[in-house]
Amino acid sequence: MRLSECMRRADYHRFFEKYLRQQHSEAEHRAFLAWFASLDEKQADEVMRDYQDLSAEYAPEKMSPADRFLASKIEGRLDEWDLLQERENRKIGLAWVLPRVAAAAVLVCGLYFTYDRFYRAPAPVQAAQSAVATDVAPGDNKALLTLSDGASIVLSDAGNGEIAKQSLVQIKKSGDGQLVYDPMENYKVSAQNLRKEYNTVATPRSGQYQVLLPDGTKVRLNSMSSLRFPVTFDPVERKVELSGEAYFEVARVMVSGRRIPFKVISNGQAIEVTGTKFNVNTFSDDSYIKTTLLEGGVNVKEQTTGNSVQLKPGEQSLVRNSPGKDAGGKAGSGKGKKDVISVRKADIEGDLAWTNGFFHFRDTELKEVMQQLIRWYDIEVEYVGSTSGERFNGYVSRNKSLSNVLAILQHSGEVRFEMVGNAKVKVIAASALASP
């Protein structure tokens, strides 16, 4: 298969070499993007193989975890666009329409910041256009801060800069959706400073927020989540309480030559770490409490029985949150007790997709898909007919309006979505559509 004459093999090889050395220009980047998007599957596959051969010479295994996550979300965006460009008479799903080609473009192009410049957003759901004039916007940086004295601050209404001061800590709001606990000059982790003043940051439906704790630990809260923490940490241990879902990057803190452990208490389990990156999902409407480890090491302990496991990077622990399924997703005979911890290989990119602005569906049942949309778009859902057989795979941007997300789901499944008013979605099963 001959490649397009507008860019010869020698041309794109030179681009690959410059890209791998991080010496390419924005103009070269755009030119390659436009050319690569014009290739058919076989041509793109040939380009991919050439890139893989070249990249082996530049130690791609040293790519940072952040780069790998960037790659995963780029792949999701490419798949989403690719899916919507298919002919309407082809029956397709969300998952990886051209996975190897998408992966090649991920590695070559770094499309995350340029995607929307080149590709149109998918068309809104037709039913949504006729039913309402106003679409539902995606979630944003919204949270409520409750101080130790009970005072509350709506962070979306607060101005940037210092908004409070407690226990030798300045509490500041940045312009990028982050709450910063900035220790003052005489602050230190010690018993003398310990006042047990607790703050809580809580996100509503369609909200998310980032918190920089006074010890340097970074926490990203998903929607409908909350974090309770002391303004001044204990010199024996740093302990926070989580509800919902959060991604942690725990800072290492040493006092008198001793590393101070960090603990996360969440829905009947305790996670102890000494410096690591991990995600915790404790939503009560999910089947399992999931702890996914990216870097470092954590010990996950079920508090009722004391059962515990030590996770390694790339592993995920599961504690049963409700009866119905075992760790492999099969029907089980659990009684709803949080008494068993299982460990499996984690889907790092999928489990952390929300931190990179994506929904990730992996053989996900329709009702679980809709539950994620409920949290992020603050909507109500009505089901018409049985939808128990519907499952979805792939990545969908969380930055899209609701009608665009529904269009993608409708294109890949056997259900129809109708928006009723500004905050309700009717999900109509195929069987109901077929009924007279």
Side-chain angles (χ1 to χ4, degrees):
M1 171 65 65
R2 288 173 55 85
L3 294 168
S4 172
E5 294 298 328
C6 68
M7 183 174 288
R8 298 170 300 174
R9 173 173 289 180
D11 296 329
Y12 69 75
H13 273 216
R14 280 194 294 271
F15 173 79
F16 289 167
E17 291 170 353
K18 294 177 74 173
Y19 175 81
L20 290 164
R21 296 190 182 102
Q22 293 297 298
Q23 296 173 350
H24 63 292
S25 69
E26 180 66 19
E28 290 170 325
H29 189 160
R30 289 197 298 267
F32 180 86
L33 277 174
W35 173 75
F36 189 85
S38 71
L39 302 181
D40 62 29
E41 181 177 355
K42 291 183 179 179
Q43 291 172 329
D45 196 52
E46 183 176 337
V47 174
M48 179 200 72
R49 289 194 299 270
D50 285 347
Y51 177 78
Q52 289 175 331
D53 292 339
L54 280 173
S55 64
E57 301 173 15
Y58 290 86
E61 69 277 2
K62 295 182 180 179
M63 186 165 54
S64 71
D67 291 335
R68 288 194 292 270
F69 291 145
L70 179 61
S72 72
K73 59 190 176 185
I74 297 165
E75 181 176 346
R77 284 176 176 251
L78 283 171
D79 292 336
E80 177 186 327
W81 176 79
D82 220 5
L83 177 145
L84 291 169
Q85 300 305 306
E86 291 284 344
R87 296 177 180 177
E88 287 295 324
N89 61 353
R90 289 190 62 187
K91 201 65 179 175
I92 57 175
L94 276 174
W96 300 275
V97 177
L98 292 177
R100 293 184 297 159
V101 174
V106 166
L107 296 172
V108 172
C109 304
L111 297 177
Y112 178 63
F113 295 108
T114 57
Y115 171 84
D116 286 323
R117 196 182 309 167
F118 292 96
Y119 301 130
R120 298 193 310 271
V125 178
Q126 185 174 358
Q129 291 179 318
S130 61
V132 292
T134 304
D135 201 352
V136 181
D140 201 355
N141 295 320
K142 293 182 286 189
L144 179 70
L145 168 64
T146 304
L147 303 175
S148 58
D149 61 1
S152 296
I153 300 173
V154 178
L155 295 178
S156 57
D157 295 340
N160 296 335
E162 182 178 314
I163 57 176
K165 185 180 296 182
Q166 290 191 314
S167 298
L168 301 178
V169 172
Q170 289 179 302
I171 306 174
K172 303 175 182 179
K173 176 192 171 184
S174 67
D176 59 353
Q178 184 171 211
L179 188 66
V180 178
Y181 281 71
D182 188 11
M184 298 170 68
E185 186 175 351
N186 53 344
Y187 174 95
K188 60 181 179 179
V189 178
S190 70
Q192 287 73 28
N193 281 345
L194 190 61
R195 297 182 184 177
K196 292 296 184 182
E197 292 185 346
Y198 284 86
N199 283 189
T200 300
V201 178
T203 57
R205 284 187 179 186
S206 75
Q208 63 180 7
Y209 227 84
Q210 298 183 66
V211 184
L212 179 63
L213 298 177
D215 66 337
T217 292
K218 300 176 183 179
V219 185
R220 182 191 292 264
L221 287 172
N222 203 348
S223 56
M224 297 182 68
S225 302
S226 68
L227 184 74
R228 182 175 183 266
F229 53 93
V231 178
T232 307
F233 281 113
D234 191 311
V236 177
E237 66 178 11
R238 298 169 287 165
K239 184 164 65 175
V240 302
E241 299 171 25
L242 170 69
S243 174
E245 183 171 23
Y247 170 70
F248 291 82
E249 293 186 3
V250 178
R252 180 177 296 186
V253 174
M254 304 290 291
V255 174
S256 300
R258 174 180 173 270
R259 184 184 296 178
I260 307 303
F262 191 98
K263 288 187 177 181
V264 180
I265 308 300
S266 57
N267 199 6
Q269 75 170 17
I271 303 168
E272 182 172 343
V273 305
T274 52
T276 190
K277 299 178 182 180
F278 61 99
N279 191 80
V280 186
N281 182 344
T282 72
F283 285 122
S284 59
D285 49 14
D286 288 348
S287 299
Y288 287 89
I289 302 170
K290 301 174 184 177
T291 303
T292 305
L293 180 61
L294 172 59
E295 292 182 11
V298 300
N299 182 74
V300 181
K301 182 177 181 179
E302 201 284 308
Q303 293 184 303
T304 302
T305 63
N307 294 333
S308 65
V309 296
Q310 186 75 33
L311 293 184
K312 299 176 183 178
E315 292 183 337
Q316 180 183 77
S317 67
L318 298 98
V319 176
R320 189 171 57 238
N321 204 13
S322 61
K325 292 185 178 181
D326 61 17
K330 299 178 180 179
S333 57
K335 299 179 180 179
K337 297 180 180 178
K338 304 180 182 71
D339 56 357
V340 176
I341 305 179
S342 58
V343 177
R344 68 182 180 187
K345 182 179 179 181
D347 175 9
I348 295 291
E349 291 84 358
D351 290 326
L352 274 74
W354 73 271
T355 68
N356 295 311
F358 280 85
F359 298 106
H360 174 242
F361 307 129
R362 187 176 185 180
D363 199 30
T364 306
E365 294 180 352
L366 175 61
K367 289 192 175 181
E368 186 175 340
V369 169
M370 297 310 298
Q371 189 60 49
Q372 293 188 43
L373 300 189
I374 288 170
R375 296 178 192 136
W376 188 235
Y377 291 95
D378 191 13
I379 57 173
E380 302 299 327
V381 174
E382 176 187 349
Y383 295 94
V384 179
S386 175
T387 59
S388 59
E390 288 291 326
R391 293 179 179 270
F392 296 84
N393 291 277
Y395 291 82
V396 181
S397 173
R398 283 168 42 120
N399 297 320
K400 302 292 185 184
S401 67
L402 176 62
S403 64
N404 278 289
V405 173
L406 295 178
I408 296 169
L409 296 174
Q410 182 165 298
H411 192 83
S412 63
E414 298 293 336
V415 296
R416 191 177 75 193
F417 301 93
E418 292 184 359
M419 294 176 63
V420 182
N422 291 331
K424 185 175 182 179
V425 173
K426 184 179 293 187
V427 182
I428 307 174
S431 57
L433 290 171
S435 300

